[in-house]
Amino acid sequence: MKVVFTKNNSPMSKAIRWVLNEPVSHVAVIFDDKLVFQANLLGVHVGWADTFLKKNEVVYTKEYANLSLEEQE
């Protein structure tokens, strides 16, 4: 499981980073390097990590490699 902090070139991402004076605008959770859970203004979404990562640049990553499935849940 990974928690990724990202940014992209969308106007919303740029505005969030500018207002908060932070290098990231978004946080997502990736399981097994395949499945991503993320939220935006339209709600919570589940998708494929490769698709998400094509649209977003990862700035920071926190990996939890030694967690059991129960701990991840």
Side-chain angles (χ1 to χ4, degrees):
M1 179 175 92
K2 294 178 187 175
V3 178
V4 293
F5 299 82
T6 67
K7 67 179 183 177
N8 61 43
N9 289 323
S10 73
M12 181 63 75
S13 177
K14 290 179 180 182
I16 290 168
R17 288 182 280 137
W18 181 74
V19 168
L20 298 177
N21 194 30
E22 293 291 338
V24 300
S25 60
H26 197 72
V27 177
V29 180
I30 299 176
F31 293 95
D32 297 325
D33 290 325
K34 294 178 183 154
L35 195 61
V36 64
F37 287 80
Q38 55 105 6
N40 60 25
L41 295 173
L42 302 175
V44 177
H45 306 280
V46 179
W48 298 113
D50 59 346
T51 302
F52 176 80
L53 295 172
K54 285 178 187 174
K55 298 177 183 177
N56 296 281
E57 177 186 343
V58 175
V59 179
Y60 304 115
T61 300
K62 176 65 177 165
E63 189 163 355
Y64 297 91
N66 297 323
L67 294 180
S68 69
L69 183 57
E70 288 180 350
E71 292 171 321
Q72 289 183 37
E73 290 175 349

